[in-house]
Amino acid sequence: MAGQAQYEELARQLSAVGAVKRDLGRILPADCPAGSAAVLATLGRHGDMRMSKLAEILAVDMSVTSRHVAHAASRGWIDRLPDPADKRSRILHLTPAGLDRLDDLSRRTTRLLAERLSDWSDDEVGQLIHLMTRLRDSFGDCRSQTARACATTAGAETGSACAAAPVAEETTRTPANAHT
């Protein structure tokens, strides 16, 4: 197991990820802020879904998700279709314009990464992908460990630590790829 000094250095190095994200954010088109880009990328990767599922995947509050979805919808990049399982809910669906925007974002990101990592070998890029995937897996779904433990504990009592912890609502309705 790594020692404290290694974890401290890792924390310092992870702060550099913010600089990388800011650089990636600079290449986004003016009409597509990072939040909207994340909505498009998530729908492109996971398919159609409810807004609650999108918020869960993005690990952000529903109000933030709603704002990003509204922006993307106003640009014609996504449709909010009626959910056949619950007419009060909507299923988010990429439009052809949204797919085009997503392709543009992918090209921009790929071009920047290829430029910045041009002196890296294929093996080094592969190692980075592997290690970042492993790091992300180690952090799970981004909820605190208390919230994750509470989500798996049935019938948490009022007044317990679980009752105070925010837990994403689980749903069994409408799988992510319900609309085709």
Side-chain angles (χ1 to χ4, degrees):
M1 182 167 170
Q4 181 174 344
Q6 285 182 299
Y7 289 124
E8 289 170 355
E9 180 58 24
L10 178 59
R12 282 190 288 277
Q13 292 302 321
L14 285 174
S15 69
V17 172
V20 172
K21 286 184 70 170
R22 284 188 297 279
D23 209 16
L24 287 166
R26 289 184 192 105
I27 64 167
L28 295 175
D31 68 339
C32 188
S36 296
V39 166
L40 297 177
T42 303
L43 290 173
R45 181 174 190 165
H46 297 282
D48 299 355
M49 67 183 72
R50 286 180 165 195
M51 193 163 346
S52 58
K53 182 68 176 175
L54 179 63
E56 180 183 325
I57 291 170
L58 294 175
V60 296
D61 187 74
M62 277 291 283
S63 64
V64 173
T65 305
S66 180
R67 194 169 49 247
H68 295 319
V69 165
H71 181 268
S74 73
R75 299 295 188 282
W77 299 332
I78 62 171
D79 283 328
R80 293 178 270 199
L81 306 169
D83 183 343
D86 181 354
K87 298 299 181 196
R88 297 168 298 171
S89 296
R90 298 283 179 251
I91 299 294
L92 306 175
H93 172 75
L94 279 173
T95 64
L99 289 168
D100 288 346
R101 175 55 68 175
L102 185 56
D103 287 344
D104 175 56
L105 296 172
S106 179
R107 281 190 301 276
R108 289 169 183 255
T109 302
T110 300
R111 191 170 37 244
L112 179 64
L113 290 171
E115 176 186 307
R116 295 293 196 271
L117 303 180
S118 64
D119 60 338
W120 289 41
S121 71
D122 289 349
D123 285 344
E124 289 171 324
V125 173
Q127 288 172 11
L128 179 62
I129 292 167
H130 172 75
L131 291 172
M132 289 187 76
T133 301
R134 189 169 172 200
L135 176 67
R136 178 67 173 100
D137 289 345
S138 293
F139 278 81
D141 64 5
C142 293
R143 292 182 287 167
S144 72
Q145 290 207 345
T146 301
R148 280 197 304 272
C150 292
T152 59
T153 303
E157 295 178 19
T158 305
S160 71
C162 290
V167 178
E169 181 181 316
E170 299 274 337
T171 183
T172 57
R173 294 188 218 154
T174 313
N177 292 322
H179 177 77
T180 54

